Amino acid sequence: MPMKLYYGKDLSAWNTFGMKVSCACFVEYSSVARLQEFWKAWRYGEHVLPKPFLHIGRGSNLLFTGDFPGTVFHSDIKFIREYGKSREEGDETAVPRSSEERPGTAGRPAESSGVVLVEAGAGVLWDDFCRWCADNSLWGPENLSGIPGETGAAAVQNIGAYGVEVKDIVRYVKCFDCVTGAAVTFRASECRYGYRDSMFKSGAKGRYVVTSVVFSLSAVPVPRLGYGHVRAAVEKVLGRPVPDVAGCPAGSAESSRLPDGLTASMVRDVILDIRNSKLPDPAVMGSAGSFFKNPVVPRSDYERVASVARLEHGMDCEVPHYDAGSGFIKIPAAWLIDQCGLKGFRAGNAGVYEKQPLVLVNLTGKASPEEILYLENLVRNAVVNKFGIMLHPEVEHV
């Protein structure tokens, strides 16, 4: 497929907030070879593109603050394959598995621990990848089901949900170096992953373009159910308790006690039900998912928040929190916003989602970037004025 190039491209369908903005130029490529060809042509003056340059996935973690004056690039590299599976040269489509190839059989190349390596192109929709893994009895991304966006952006953002971050399952990240024009591969340990962060967002931002990601998945059950009420929801579906096997080696006596019926697909369905009960569908109501990061603060700041809560609600008030190590505490941003009475708050065409205050939404489909920015500042000021905690956006502003 040749490179696609458009001028004055409407980006309404390329950001889940539904901001009605455009870019000066839009370029879409379908393979690493096409990207390399285009880069060489640009390098030698055969293409003149307006700057700055911006790579996006589906814009699921972006807030366009206005029309983009430069060139937006998008990867349409779409394939999913297990390592060891053959494919024809240049074929970037998913390699189908026969019905006989199941975990633990000779048809699947797996490491002794049950680990299976799977590579996905950067343009694969993230939830399509999660579905593919669950359908093929591979464990790892099921807790991350339903997160909008694409696989390449997931590795850049280090997406996370329900006790799992994508860094937990990333083995390698394959990239294109925009400085040298070379294809490079980084181990997960080299990507400097942090909370909703990576080197691709910070120190090396703009240099490397993710072209595909290699994931380390498990062919044996490794459910991670310890976050929130995920375990209770799974047990309700199964109708029986599920032992906690977190940290137990795959195939150990502990992991063998898992009940029949506990599959990656079942856990995925539970996660999707939980998400759908709390979060809006971007196709129906524009949003970028969780707008703010959960603040990680020193224990002294947490104690101040707890004191404010007890003064308002009584000494029995419990502030939800998680130990972040090294004397730091993570406090749910949604709880802080809710305590400020902002759940369901509306400002023009923008609002705080009525079911999940961590999400800012384009209520009418007509919200402008200015309305979202106004609401963002209103929420941040309310939380800092009440609790002395500054919220920082998870969503990237462009």
Side-chain angles (χ1 to χ4, degrees):
M1 182 185 296
M3 185 79 70
K4 297 178 181 179
L5 190 151
Y6 309 89
Y7 290 97
K9 175 80 169 178
D10 178 9
L11 295 175
S12 299
W14 292 90
N15 71 101
T16 57
F17 244 129
M19 295 292 99
K20 307 230 178 321
V21 296
S22 63
C23 62
C25 185
F26 184 91
V27 175
E28 187 172 57
Y29 52 92
S30 58
S31 69
V32 177
R34 291 280 186 266
L35 179 58
Q36 288 174 324
E37 291 170 6
F38 192 84
W39 180 86
K40 289 177 182 177
W42 169 78
R43 190 79 169 181
Y44 292 104
E46 296 177 31
H47 288 302
V48 178
L49 301 176
K51 294 182 178 181
F53 297 158
L54 173 69
H55 264 86
I56 66 170
R58 284 287 164 177
S60 59
N61 197 54
L62 293 179
L63 172 62
F64 281 101
T65 58
D67 291 338
F68 188 70
T71 301
V72 170
F73 290 83
H74 175 255
S75 168
D76 197 36
I77 300 175
K78 294 179 180 178
F79 69 89
I80 304 174
R81 69 180 180 93
E82 293 184 23
Y83 266 34
K85 298 289 182 181
S86 62
R87 59 174 179 169
E88 295 181 4
E89 187 67 26
D91 176 20
E92 301 210 55
T93 59
V95 178
R97 288 180 14 152
S98 70
S99 60
E100 291 79 21
E101 290 175 10
R102 290 290 179 259
T105 71
R108 162 171 273 157
E111 299 178 5
S112 59
S113 61
V115 170
V116 177
L117 300 184
V118 174
E119 182 176 3
V124 174
L125 289 176
W126 174 253
D127 194 54
D128 286 351
F129 174 71
C130 294
R131 181 186 300 108
W132 186 93
C133 293
D135 287 348
N136 286 275
S137 302
L138 290 172
W139 292 77
E142 61 280 351
N143 286 36
L144 304 175
S145 293
I147 297 179
E150 295 176 349
T151 299
V156 170
Q157 171 71 4
N158 187 24
I159 60 172
Y162 304 105
V164 176
E165 292 179 309
V166 81
K167 70 174 180 60
D168 301 334
I169 57 173
V170 168
R171 177 70 69 92
Y172 305 110
V173 180
K174 296 186 178 183
C175 300
F176 176 78
D177 188 336
C178 295
V179 173
T180 67
V184 294
T185 299
F186 296 98
R187 296 182 180 87
S189 59
E190 297 174 304
C191 294
R192 299 199 294 274
Y193 279 124
Y195 176 51
R196 304 296 180 269
D197 195 19
S198 71
M199 74 173 189
F200 309 112
K201 289 186 66 178
S202 49
K205 184 176 182 179
R207 175 166 181 173
Y208 300 107
V209 176
V210 176
T211 55
S212 65
V213 185
V214 179
F215 296 94
S216 180
L217 308 178
S218 177
V220 296
V222 283
R224 285 159 290 188
L225 311 178
Y227 189 93
H229 61 283
V230 174
R231 182 181 302 280
V234 168
E235 291 177 341
K236 183 177 180 180
V237 172
L238 287 173
R240 72 199 81 167
V242 179
D244 185 1
V245 297
C248 297
S252 65
E254 291 84 355
S255 63
S256 66
R257 293 189 292 111
L258 293 171
D260 293 338
L262 180 64
T263 66
S265 289
M266 191 272 279
V267 174
R268 167 179 158 78
D269 289 342
V270 168
I271 293 294
L272 289 173
D273 285 344
I274 294 173
R275 287 186 66 87
N276 292 336
S277 70
K278 294 182 177 181
L279 300 172
D281 180 350
V284 177
M285 183 181 294
S287 80
S290 298
F291 195 94
F292 299 100
K293 297 179 182 179
N294 292 319
V296 178
V297 301
R299 179 167 288 277
S300 58
D301 287 359
Y302 163 75
E303 294 295 348
R304 184 179 65 246
V305 170
S307 296
V308 172
R310 291 182 191 120
L311 282 173
E312 185 169 338
H313 301 292
M315 295 304 295
D316 292 333
C317 178
E318 293 286 343
V319 176
H321 63 281
Y322 304 91
D323 185 0
S326 302
F328 285 83
I329 303 293
K330 180 187 291 187
I331 306 173
W335 184 88
L336 295 169
I337 297 168
D338 192 19
Q339 290 298 304
C340 293
L342 292 174
K343 183 188 287 187
F345 180 84
R346 179 169 181 166
N349 294 296
V352 179
Y353 191 51
E354 61 184 1
K355 295 181 181 179
Q356 170 52 275
L358 193 56
V359 178
L360 304 188
V361 293
N362 182 351
L363 277 171
T364 65
K366 299 178 181 179
S368 66
E370 290 78 15
E371 287 178 300
I372 301 296
L373 291 170
Y374 171 81
L375 184 60
E376 173 191 356
N377 287 326
L378 185 149
V379 170
R380 295 176 73 183
N381 289 336
V383 172
V384 78
N385 288 337
K386 182 165 186 173
F387 294 109
I389 300 294
M390 177 61 72
L391 297 182
H392 297 283
E394 180 176 321
V395 172
E396 182 177 358
H397 295 49
V398 177

